[in-house]
Amino acid sequence: MTNTVNCNKCNPDSSPLLDVMSTDGLKQIAVLGMPNTGKSTFFNRLTGANASIGNWPGITVDLLAAKIKLGQQQTQVVDLPGIYDLRGFSEDEEVVRRFLESNPVHLVIIILNSTQLDRQISLALQVKHLGLPALLLLNMADEAPKFGVHIDVDQISQRLQMPAFQISAKYGQGFAQAKSLIAERLGLQSEPVLAGVVNRNLVSDEQFTAEMSDLIAHGFEVSTQFKNTLTTKLDRVLLHPVFGLPIFFGAMYLMFQVVYTIGKPLQDGLNQGVEWFKGAAVEPLLSFLPKFPHDLLIDGLYGGVGTVAAFIPVIWIFFICMAIVEDSGYLSRSAYLMDAFMERLGLDGRSFVMSLMGFGCNVPAIMGLRVMRSPALRLLSMLVIPFSLCSARLNVFIFMTTALFSASAAPAVLFSLYLFSFAAAILTAFIFKGKYPNQEPLVLELPPYRFPTIRQMLLRAWLETQHFLRFAWKFIILGVVAIWLCNNLPQNVEPASAGTISGMIGNFLQPVLAPVGISPKLSVALIFGFIAKEIVLGGLAVIYAVKEDTGLAGVIAKDIDWVQAYSFMLFTLLYVPCLSTVAVIKAESKSSKFALLAVVWSLGLAWAASFVFYQGARALGY
Amino acid sequence: MSLSELSALPLGTTASILGIRAESVLEQRLQALGFRAGREISIVRKAWLGGPLHIRIGTTEVIMRRRDARAIQVQPA
């Protein structure tokens, strides 16, 4: 049970999250930059893989931070969200402002894109006006010559009164020098500085514009007319009015295949590992226990650990792929391709990508929403994605359609469930887009096409996996144990039978579930399904007291007719995908209330759809 | 639609920005992306079915919805 070791660090409600966040004797560095400048790449290169998520005074979102040694000094480096403007109105801009107003720092490292310095220099100028100790890194030095950009670093440095240096965070050029420069500056700054009230300390627009023009005139030069031929050529194909969309769907199909064809065997392998460890170590160790606590620990607690572990490979590979799709610049292009359709739903193309990925597994898809910076857009997408028919649900449907429908009807039945999945997603977006209106205009940069380094991909995957474990494991394991108890208490009756708590809940819910054709036995299966849809079949096997692979199909076919079965599948499709999805919705929205809304809405929709179908089919005489 | 609106600019032609009239959120975002009076701007492509515009300004390329682009007044070169 290695999972319990770090629990004092994992509770999102306790603050501060990490003990390393205590500031005694620590120098504080904040990394600031615009989006698409390689700021995170720099942060990752500087801190290695030992960054963790923590929370800070004055702000409500978590930030990535790491404790490292720079020169002789213990230093805490915080990665601030990428922003355009310190006076801006977006959530991220508010976060950065609040951070600088409430947390004194010894140094602000400003990361800007060399090729776009003519506009990005504004951020450095703002920091100068705030009087914060700062150091400017002009990143993507490797790209600047390709764009015909020449920068007079000394001029920039002089006029901004801060050291400036050109680097390539991605390939590491200039990185060692930059690091020693940072250590040196840090040594000079003994006391941390607070920004004061940001909006009050910035100068008037006229003065600001004048200073900026002066900076650009003296420090920035574009020698040739900009033509990034490779990107321009690629865009001509990838954003083509006719071929753009088919290529996009092809790319998404490929990514889907990669994630789930590689992820599945890994998941199975991990599962076998978990099972093997159970047989080899856990079972023998616990064999002295009486049956009930023995089963509770093994099927409940250890089963919960297995449930958490099962997501790791998929999340890992998913974010390797996300690193490629996002860092390459293709994700922003998907917004261009899909916007005409998605705008009507109150979403954008990036939500579409995540919803598609949700057809494999909802969990990483919901985590992936973090690339969108508008909170409303993220929340709305979080309500929509759980309706994507994931592979776990597909297993249940394949089993049941095979058991209850003829070979010729089964594919059509399965296809109709996909249609319901789309319809539920679209309906949800329509209903809730008024409640979560996206306030941020869609003005997205299309960066030149780039390929992320292996290092970038691995780090991304590692950090996201860590994030999932930190925030979701407790919720999932508790849930699995609770449901196990419902299925196995009281002890004197058969597990999952009518006498257990689950059975009683099933009976209690009959007035609600009978009108949609769901019998008490099937209700108990739905309770199993709360954990994960994979175990609905195993649950049914327990409930009907038969073997899953031999007798189950026949027994179910005898017990319920096709109308009931279809109603059950509809319900299974639409209600809460699984505990893990609820756990990530809660973690990503930082709101139990919102997670509850997602649960209640999906339950309500599941019931309504099953009701209309079941009563309609019966009324028609089926 | 007058010619001075960015969304009416034909593909591939260059214009210079006369001014931006937008609510503050959009205006600030545009400024940060380099949209300032006097700068040269062109529309690289327009998505079908009323989808967004692909715009180039200096070394920056962005996509923007057509109704947001109405905020940008231009003078065709």
Coordinates of all heavy atoms in Angstrom, one line a residue, chain A residues 74-154:
Chain A
Q74 N 18.9 27.6 -1.7 CA 17.7 26.8 -1.8 C 16.6 27.8 -2.4 O 16.3 28.8 -1.9 CB 17.2 26.3 -0.5 CG 18.0 25.1 0.1 CD 17.9 23.9 -0.8 OE1 16.9 23.7 -1.5 NE2 19.0 23.1 -0.9
T75 N 16.0 27.3 -3.5 CA 15.1 28.2 -4.2 C 13.8 27.5 -4.5 O 13.8 26.4 -4.9 CB 15.7 28.7 -5.5 OG1 17.0 29.2 -5.2 CG2 14.9 29.8 -6.2
Q76 N 12.7 28.2 -4.4 CA 11.4 27.7 -4.9 C 11.0 28.4 -6.1 O 10.9 29.7 -6.1 CB 10.4 27.9 -3.8 CG 9.0 27.4 -4.3 CD 8.0 27.3 -3.1 OE1 8.0 26.4 -2.4 NE2 7.3 28.4 -3.0
V77 N 10.8 27.7 -7.2 CA 10.4 28.2 -8.5 C 9.0 27.9 -8.8 O 8.5 26.8 -8.7 CB 11.3 27.7 -9.6 CG1 11.1 28.4 -10.9 CG2 12.8 27.7 -9.2
V78 N 8.2 29.0 -9.1 CA 6.8 28.8 -9.3 C 6.5 29.1 -10.8 O 6.9 30.2 -11.3 CB 5.9 29.8 -8.5 CG1 4.4 29.5 -8.7 CG2 6.3 29.6 -7.0
D79 N 5.8 28.3 -11.5 CA 5.4 28.5 -12.9 C 4.0 29.2 -12.9 O 3.0 28.5 -12.6 CB 5.3 27.1 -13.5 CG 5.2 27.2 -15.0 OD1 5.5 28.3 -15.6 OD2 4.7 26.2 -15.7
L80 N 4.0 30.4 -13.2 CA 2.7 31.2 -13.3 C 2.1 30.9 -14.6 O 2.7 30.5 -15.6 CB 3.0 32.7 -13.2 CG 3.6 33.1 -11.9 CD1 3.9 34.6 -11.9 CD2 2.6 32.9 -10.7
P81 N 0.7 30.9 -14.7 CA 0.1 30.7 -16.0 C 0.5 31.7 -17.0 O 0.8 32.8 -16.7 CB -1.4 30.9 -15.6 CG -1.5 31.1 -14.2 CD -0.2 31.2 -13.6
G82 N 0.5 31.2 -18.3 CA 0.9 32.1 -19.4 C -0.2 33.2 -19.6 O -1.3 32.9 -19.7
I83 N 0.3 34.4 -19.6 CA -0.7 35.5 -19.8 C -0.2 36.5 -20.8 O 1.0 36.6 -21.1 CB -0.9 36.3 -18.5 CG1 0.4 36.9 -17.9 CG2 -1.6 35.4 -17.4 CD1 0.2 38.0 -17.0
Y84 N -1.1 37.4 -21.3 CA -0.7 38.4 -22.3 C -0.5 39.7 -21.6 O 0.3 40.5 -22.1 CB -1.9 38.6 -23.3 CG -2.0 37.4 -24.2 CD1 -3.1 36.5 -24.1 CD2 -1.1 37.2 -25.3 CE1 -3.2 35.4 -25.0 CE2 -1.2 36.2 -26.2 CZ -2.2 35.3 -26.0 OH -2.3 34.2 -26.9
D85 N -1.2 40.0 -20.5 CA -1.2 41.4 -20.1 C -1.4 41.4 -18.6 O -2.4 40.7 -18.1 CB -2.3 42.1 -20.8 CG -2.3 43.6 -20.5 OD1 -1.8 44.0 -19.5 OD2 -2.9 44.3 -21.3
L86 N -0.6 42.1 -17.8 CA -0.8 42.1 -16.4 C -2.1 42.8 -15.9 O -2.5 42.7 -14.8 CB 0.4 42.7 -15.7 CG 1.6 41.8 -15.4 CD1 2.8 42.5 -15.0 CD2 1.2 40.8 -14.3
R87 N -2.6 43.6 -16.8 CA -3.9 44.3 -16.5 C -5.1 43.5 -17.0 O -6.2 44.0 -16.9 CB -3.9 45.7 -17.1 CG -2.8 46.6 -16.6 CD -2.7 47.8 -17.6 NE -2.6 47.3 -19.0 CZ -2.8 48.0 -20.1 NH1 -3.1 49.3 -20.0 NH2 -2.7 47.5 -21.3
G88 N -4.8 42.4 -17.6 CA -5.9 41.7 -18.4 C -7.1 41.2 -17.5 O -7.0 41.2 -16.3
F89 N -8.1 40.7 -18.2 CA -9.3 40.3 -17.5 C -9.6 38.8 -17.4 O -10.5 38.4 -16.8 CB -10.5 41.0 -18.2 CG -10.5 42.5 -18.3 CD1 -10.1 43.1 -19.4 CD2 -10.8 43.2 -17.2 CE1 -10.0 44.5 -19.5 CE2 -10.8 44.6 -17.2 CZ -10.4 45.2 -18.4
S90 N -8.7 38.0 -18.0 CA -8.9 36.6 -18.0 C -8.6 36.1 -16.6 O -8.0 36.7 -15.8 CB -8.1 35.9 -19.0 OG -6.7 35.9 -18.6
E91 N -9.1 34.8 -16.3 CA -8.8 34.2 -15.0 C -7.3 34.1 -14.8 O -6.9 34.4 -13.7 CB -9.5 32.8 -15.0 CG -9.5 32.2 -13.6 CD -9.7 30.7 -13.5 OE1 -9.3 30.0 -14.5 OE2 -10.2 30.2 -12.5
D92 N -6.6 33.7 -15.8 CA -5.1 33.5 -15.6 C -4.5 34.9 -15.2 O -3.6 34.9 -14.4 CB -4.5 33.0 -16.9 CG -4.8 31.5 -17.0 OD1 -5.2 30.9 -16.0 OD2 -4.7 30.9 -18.1
E93 N -4.9 35.9 -15.9 CA -4.3 37.2 -15.7 C -4.6 37.7 -14.2 O -3.8 38.3 -13.6 CB -4.8 38.2 -16.7 CG -4.1 37.9 -18.1 CD -4.7 38.5 -19.3 OE1 -6.0 38.6 -19.3 OE2 -4.0 38.7 -20.3
E94 N -5.8 37.4 -13.8 CA -6.2 37.7 -12.4 C -5.3 36.9 -11.4 O -4.8 37.5 -10.4 CB -7.7 37.4 -12.2 CG -8.2 37.5 -10.8 CD -8.4 39.0 -10.4 OE1 -8.5 39.8 -11.3 OE2 -8.4 39.2 -9.2
V95 N -5.1 35.7 -11.8 CA -4.3 34.8 -10.9 C -2.9 35.4 -10.8 O -2.3 35.5 -9.6 CB -4.2 33.4 -11.5 CG1 -3.1 32.6 -10.8 CG2 -5.5 32.6 -11.2
V96 N -2.3 35.7 -11.9 CA -0.9 36.2 -11.8 C -0.8 37.5 -11.0 O 0.1 37.7 -10.2 CB -0.3 36.4 -13.3 CG1 1.0 37.2 -13.2 CG2 -0.2 35.1 -13.9
R97 N -1.8 38.4 -11.3 CA -1.8 39.7 -10.6 C -1.9 39.4 -9.1 O -1.2 40.0 -8.3 CB -3.1 40.5 -11.1 CG -2.9 42.0 -10.9 CD -3.9 42.7 -11.8 NE -5.2 42.1 -11.9 CZ -5.8 41.9 -13.1 NH1 -5.2 42.2 -14.2 NH2 -7.0 41.4 -13.1
R98 N -2.9 38.6 -8.7 CA -3.0 38.3 -7.3 C -1.8 37.7 -6.7 O -1.4 38.0 -5.6 CB -4.2 37.2 -7.1 CG -5.6 37.8 -7.3 CD -5.9 38.6 -6.0 NE -7.3 38.9 -5.9 CZ -8.3 38.1 -5.6 NH1 -8.1 36.8 -5.4 NH2 -9.5 38.5 -5.5
F99 N -1.2 36.8 -7.4 CA 0.1 36.1 -6.9 C 1.1 37.2 -6.6 O 1.7 37.2 -5.6 CB 0.6 35.1 -8.0 CG 1.8 34.4 -7.5 CD1 1.8 33.2 -6.8 CD2 3.1 35.0 -7.7 CE1 2.9 32.6 -6.3 CE2 4.3 34.4 -7.3 CZ 4.2 33.2 -6.6
L100 N 1.4 38.1 -7.6 CA 2.4 39.1 -7.4 C 2.1 40.1 -6.3 O 2.9 40.6 -5.7 CB 2.7 39.8 -8.7 CG 3.3 38.9 -9.8 CD1 3.4 39.6 -11.1 CD2 4.7 38.3 -9.4
E101 N 0.8 40.3 -6.1 CA 0.3 41.2 -5.0 C 0.4 40.6 -3.6 O 0.5 41.3 -2.6 CB -1.1 41.7 -5.3 CG -1.2 42.7 -6.5 CD -2.6 43.0 -6.9 OE1 -3.6 42.3 -6.4 OE2 -2.8 43.9 -7.7
S102 N 0.3 39.3 -3.6 CA 0.3 38.6 -2.3 C 1.5 37.8 -1.9 O 1.7 37.4 -0.8 CB -0.9 37.7 -2.2 OG -2.0 38.0 -3.0
N103 N 2.4 37.5 -2.9 CA 3.6 36.7 -2.6 C 4.9 37.4 -3.0 O 5.1 37.6 -4.2 CB 3.5 35.4 -3.4 CG 2.3 34.6 -2.9 OD1 2.4 33.8 -2.0 ND2 1.2 34.8 -3.6
P104 N 5.7 37.9 -2.0 CA 6.9 38.6 -2.3 C 7.9 37.6 -3.0 O 8.0 36.4 -2.6 CB 7.4 39.0 -1.0 CG 6.7 38.2 0.1 CD 5.4 37.8 -0.5
V105 N 8.6 38.1 -4.0 CA 9.5 37.3 -4.8 C 10.9 37.9 -4.8 O 11.0 39.1 -4.7 CB 9.0 37.0 -6.2 CG1 7.8 36.1 -6.2 CG2 8.8 38.3 -6.9
H106 N 11.9 37.1 -4.9 CA 13.3 37.6 -5.1 C 13.6 37.8 -6.5 O 14.5 38.6 -6.8 CB 14.3 36.6 -4.5 CG 14.2 36.4 -3.0 ND1 13.3 35.6 -2.4 CD2 14.9 37.0 -2.0 CE1 13.4 35.6 -1.1 NE2 14.4 36.5 -0.8
L107 N 12.9 37.2 -7.4 CA 13.2 37.3 -8.8 C 12.0 36.9 -9.7 O 11.3 35.9 -9.4 CB 14.4 36.5 -9.2 CG 15.0 36.7 -10.6 CD1 15.5 38.1 -10.8 CD2 16.1 35.6 -10.9
V108 N 11.7 37.7 -10.7 CA 10.7 37.3 -11.7 C 11.5 37.0 -13.0 O 12.3 37.8 -13.5 CB 9.7 38.4 -12.0 CG1 8.8 38.0 -13.1 CG2 8.9 38.8 -10.8
I109 N 11.4 35.7 -13.5 CA 12.0 35.4 -14.7 C 10.9 35.6 -15.8 O 9.9 34.9 -15.7 CB 12.5 33.9 -14.8 CG1 13.6 33.8 -13.7 CG2 13.1 33.6 -16.1 CD1 14.1 32.3 -13.6
I110 N 11.2 36.5 -16.8 CA 10.2 36.7 -17.8 C 10.7 35.9 -19.1 O 11.8 36.1 -19.5 CB 10.1 38.2 -18.1 CG1 9.9 39.0 -16.9 CG2 9.1 38.5 -19.2 CD1 10.2 40.5 -17.0
I111 N 9.8 35.1 -19.6 CA 10.2 34.4 -20.8 C 9.4 34.9 -22.0 O 8.1 35.0 -21.9 CB 9.8 32.9 -20.7 CG1 10.2 32.3 -19.3 CG2 10.3 32.1 -21.9 CD1 11.6 31.8 -19.3
L112 N 10.1 35.4 -23.0 CA 9.3 35.9 -24.2 C 9.9 35.2 -25.4 O 11.0 34.6 -25.4 CB 9.6 37.4 -24.3 CG 9.1 38.2 -23.1 CD1 9.4 39.7 -23.4 CD2 7.6 38.1 -22.8
N113 N 9.0 35.1 -26.4 CA 9.4 34.5 -27.7 C 10.2 35.5 -28.5 O 9.6 36.6 -28.9 CB 8.1 34.1 -28.4 CG 8.3 33.5 -29.8 OD1 9.4 33.5 -30.3 ND2 7.3 32.8 -30.3
S114 N 11.4 35.2 -28.8 CA 12.3 36.1 -29.6 C 11.6 36.6 -30.9 O 11.7 37.8 -31.2 CB 13.6 35.4 -30.0 OG 14.3 35.1 -28.8
T115 N 11.0 35.7 -31.6 CA 10.5 36.1 -32.9 C 9.3 37.1 -32.8 O 9.0 37.7 -33.7 CB 10.0 34.9 -33.7 OG1 9.0 34.2 -32.9 CG2 11.2 34.0 -34.0
Q116 N 8.7 37.1 -31.6 CA 7.5 38.0 -31.5 C 7.8 39.1 -30.4 O 6.9 39.6 -29.8 CB 6.3 37.2 -31.1 CG 5.9 36.2 -32.2 CD 4.8 35.3 -31.8 OE1 4.4 35.2 -30.7 NE2 4.2 34.7 -32.8
L117 N 9.1 39.4 -30.3 CA 9.4 40.3 -29.2 C 8.8 41.7 -29.4 O 8.5 42.4 -28.4 CB 11.0 40.4 -29.2 CG 11.5 41.1 -27.9 CD1 11.2 40.3 -26.7 CD2 13.0 41.4 -28.0
D118 N 8.5 42.0 -30.7 CA 8.0 43.4 -30.9 C 6.7 43.6 -30.2 O 6.3 44.7 -29.9 CB 7.8 43.6 -32.4 CG 7.0 42.5 -33.1 OD1 7.0 41.3 -32.5 OD2 6.5 42.7 -34.2
R119 N 5.9 42.5 -29.9 CA 4.7 42.8 -29.2 C 4.8 42.2 -27.7 O 4.2 42.8 -26.8 CB 3.5 42.1 -29.8 CG 3.5 40.6 -30.0 CD 2.2 40.1 -30.6 NE 2.3 38.7 -30.8 CZ 2.0 37.8 -29.9 NH1 1.7 38.1 -28.7 NH2 2.1 36.5 -30.3
Q120 N 5.6 41.2 -27.5 CA 5.7 40.6 -26.2 C 6.5 41.4 -25.2 O 6.3 41.2 -24.0 CB 6.2 39.2 -26.3 CG 5.4 38.3 -27.2 CD 5.6 36.8 -26.9 OE1 6.6 36.4 -26.3 NE2 4.7 36.0 -27.5
I121 N 7.3 42.3 -25.7 CA 8.1 43.1 -24.8 C 7.3 43.9 -23.8 O 7.7 44.3 -22.7 CB 9.0 44.0 -25.7 CG1 10.2 44.6 -24.8 CG2 8.3 45.2 -26.2 CD1 11.3 43.6 -24.7
S122 N 6.0 44.0 -24.2 CA 5.1 44.8 -23.3 C 5.0 44.2 -21.9 O 5.0 44.9 -20.9 CB 3.7 44.8 -23.9 OG 3.2 43.5 -24.1
L123 N 5.1 42.9 -21.8 CA 5.0 42.2 -20.5 C 6.2 42.5 -19.6 O 6.1 42.8 -18.4 CB 4.9 40.7 -20.7 CG 4.4 39.9 -19.5 CD1 3.0 40.3 -19.1 CD2 4.4 38.4 -19.9
A124 N 7.4 42.5 -20.3 CA 8.6 42.9 -19.5 C 8.6 44.3 -19.1 O 9.0 44.7 -17.9 CB 9.9 42.6 -20.4
L125 N 8.1 45.2 -19.9 CA 7.9 46.6 -19.6 C 7.0 46.8 -18.4 O 7.3 47.6 -17.5 CB 7.4 47.4 -20.8 CG 7.5 48.9 -20.8 CD1 9.0 49.3 -20.5 CD2 7.0 49.5 -22.1
Q126 N 5.9 46.0 -18.4 CA 5.0 46.1 -17.2 C 5.7 45.7 -15.9 O 5.5 46.3 -14.9 CB 3.8 45.2 -17.5 CG 2.8 45.8 -18.5 CD 1.6 45.0 -18.7 OE1 1.6 43.8 -18.5 NE2 0.5 45.7 -19.1
V127 N 6.5 44.6 -16.0 CA 7.2 44.1 -14.8 C 8.2 45.2 -14.3 O 8.3 45.4 -13.1 CB 7.9 42.8 -15.1 CG1 8.8 42.4 -13.9 CG2 6.9 41.7 -15.4
K128 N 8.8 45.9 -15.3 CA 9.8 46.9 -14.9 C 9.0 48.0 -14.1 O 9.5 48.5 -13.1 CB 10.4 47.5 -16.2 CG 11.4 48.7 -15.9 CD 11.6 49.5 -17.2 CE 12.2 50.9 -16.8 NZ 12.0 51.8 -17.9
H129 N 7.8 48.4 -14.6 CA 7.1 49.5 -14.0 C 6.6 49.1 -12.6 O 6.3 49.9 -11.7 CB 5.9 49.9 -14.8 CG 6.3 50.7 -16.0 ND1 6.9 51.9 -15.9 CD2 6.2 50.5 -17.3 CE1 7.2 52.4 -17.1 NE2 6.7 51.6 -18.0
L130 N 6.5 47.7 -12.4 CA 6.1 47.3 -11.0 C 7.2 47.3 -10.0 O 7.0 47.1 -8.8 CB 5.5 45.9 -11.1 CG 4.1 45.7 -11.8 CD1 3.7 44.3 -11.8 CD2 3.1 46.6 -11.1
G131 N 8.4 47.5 -10.6 CA 9.6 47.6 -9.7 C 10.0 46.2 -9.1 O 10.7 46.2 -8.1
L132 N 9.6 45.1 -9.8 CA 10.1 43.8 -9.3 C 11.4 43.5 -9.9 O 11.8 43.8 -11.0 CB 9.1 42.8 -9.8 CG 7.7 42.9 -9.2 CD1 6.7 41.9 -10.0 CD2 7.7 42.5 -7.8
P133 N 12.3 42.8 -9.0 CA 13.6 42.4 -9.6 C 13.3 41.3 -10.7 O 12.6 40.4 -10.4 CB 14.2 41.7 -8.3 CG 13.1 41.4 -7.4 CD 12.0 42.4 -7.6
A134 N 13.9 41.6 -11.8 CA 13.5 40.7 -13.0 C 14.7 40.4 -13.9 O 15.7 41.1 -13.8 CB 12.4 41.4 -13.8
L135 N 14.5 39.3 -14.6 CA 15.5 38.9 -15.6 C 14.8 38.4 -16.8 O 13.7 37.7 -16.7 CB 16.3 37.7 -14.9 CG 17.5 37.1 -15.6 CD1 18.5 36.7 -14.6 CD2 17.0 35.9 -16.5
L136 N 15.2 38.8 -18.0 CA 14.5 38.6 -19.2 C 15.2 37.5 -20.0 O 16.4 37.6 -20.3 CB 14.4 39.8 -20.0 CG 13.7 39.8 -21.4 CD1 12.3 39.3 -21.2 CD2 13.7 41.1 -22.1
L137 N 14.5 36.4 -20.3 CA 15.0 35.4 -21.2 C 14.3 35.4 -22.5 O 13.0 35.3 -22.6 CB 14.9 34.0 -20.5 CG 15.7 33.8 -19.3 CD1 15.5 32.4 -18.7 CD2 17.2 34.1 -19.6
L138 N 15.0 35.6 -23.6 CA 14.4 35.6 -24.9 C 14.5 34.3 -25.5 O 15.6 33.8 -26.0 CB 15.2 36.7 -25.8 CG 15.1 38.1 -25.1 CD1 16.1 39.0 -25.8 CD2 13.7 38.6 -25.1
N139 N 13.4 33.6 -25.4 CA 13.4 32.1 -25.8 C 13.3 31.9 -27.3 O 13.0 32.9 -28.0 CB 12.3 31.4 -25.0 CG 12.4 29.9 -25.1 OD1 13.5 29.4 -25.3 ND2 11.4 29.2 -24.7
M140 N 13.4 30.7 -27.7 CA 13.3 30.3 -29.1 C 14.3 31.0 -30.0 O 14.0 31.4 -31.1 CB 11.9 30.5 -29.6 CG 10.9 29.8 -28.8 SD 9.2 30.0 -29.3 CE 8.4 28.8 -28.2
A141 N 15.5 31.2 -29.4 CA 16.6 31.8 -30.1 C 16.9 31.0 -31.4 O 17.3 31.6 -32.4 CB 17.9 31.9 -29.2
D142 N 16.6 29.7 -31.4 CA 16.8 28.9 -32.5 C 15.9 29.2 -33.7 O 16.2 29.0 -34.8 CB 16.7 27.4 -32.2 CG 15.3 27.1 -31.5 OD1 15.1 27.7 -30.4 OD2 14.6 26.2 -32.0
E143 N 14.7 29.8 -33.4 CA 13.8 30.1 -34.4 C 14.0 31.5 -35.0 O 13.6 31.7 -36.1 CB 12.3 30.0 -33.9 CG 11.8 28.5 -33.8 CD 10.3 28.5 -33.4 OE1 9.7 29.5 -33.3 OE2 9.8 27.4 -33.2
A144 N 14.5 32.4 -34.2 CA 14.6 33.8 -34.6 C 15.2 34.0 -35.9 O 14.7 34.8 -36.8 CB 15.3 34.6 -33.5
P145 N 16.4 33.4 -36.2 CA 17.0 33.7 -37.5 C 16.1 33.2 -38.7 O 16.1 33.9 -39.7 CB 18.3 32.8 -37.5 CG 18.6 32.5 -36.0 CD 17.2 32.5 -35.4
K146 N 15.4 32.1 -38.5 CA 14.5 31.7 -39.6 C 13.5 32.7 -39.9 O 13.0 32.7 -41.0 CB 13.8 30.4 -39.2 CG 14.7 29.2 -39.1 CD 13.9 27.9 -38.7 CE 14.7 27.0 -37.8 NZ 13.8 26.2 -37.0
F147 N 13.1 33.5 -38.9 CA 12.1 34.5 -39.2 C 12.7 35.9 -39.6 O 12.1 36.9 -39.7 CB 11.2 34.7 -37.9 CG 10.3 33.6 -37.7 CD1 10.7 32.4 -37.1 CD2 8.9 33.8 -38.0 CE1 9.8 31.4 -36.9 CE2 8.0 32.7 -37.8 CZ 8.5 31.6 -37.2
G148 N 14.1 35.9 -39.7 CA 14.8 37.1 -40.1 C 14.8 38.1 -38.9 O 14.9 39.3 -39.2
V149 N 14.6 37.6 -37.7 CA 14.6 38.5 -36.6 C 16.0 38.7 -36.0 O 16.7 37.7 -35.7 CB 13.6 37.9 -35.5 CG1 13.8 38.6 -34.2 CG2 12.2 38.0 -36.0
H150 N 16.3 40.0 -35.8 CA 17.6 40.2 -35.1 C 17.3 41.1 -33.8 O 16.5 42.1 -33.9 CB 18.5 41.0 -36.0 CG 19.8 41.4 -35.3 ND1 20.8 40.4 -35.0 CD2 20.2 42.5 -34.7 CE1 21.7 41.0 -34.3 NE2 21.4 42.3 -34.1
I151 N 17.9 40.7 -32.7 CA 17.6 41.4 -31.5 C 18.9 41.9 -30.9 O 19.9 41.2 -30.8 CB 16.9 40.4 -30.4 CG1 15.6 40.0 -31.0 CG2 16.8 41.1 -29.1 CD1 15.0 38.8 -30.2
D152 N 18.8 43.2 -30.5 CA 20.0 43.8 -29.8 C 19.7 43.6 -28.3 O 19.1 44.5 -27.7 CB 20.1 45.3 -30.2 CG 21.3 45.9 -29.7 OD1 21.9 45.4 -28.7 OD2 21.8 46.9 -30.3
V153 N 20.3 42.6 -27.8 CA 20.0 42.2 -26.4 C 20.5 43.3 -25.4 O 19.8 43.6 -24.4 CB 20.6 40.8 -26.1 CG1 20.3 40.4 -24.7 CG2 20.1 39.8 -27.1
D154 N 21.6 43.9 -25.7 CA 22.2 44.9 -24.8 C 21.3 46.1 -24.7 O 21.0 46.6 -23.6 CB 23.6 45.3 -25.3 CG 24.6 44.2 -25.1 OD1 24.3 43.3 -24.2 OD2 25.6 44.2 -25.8

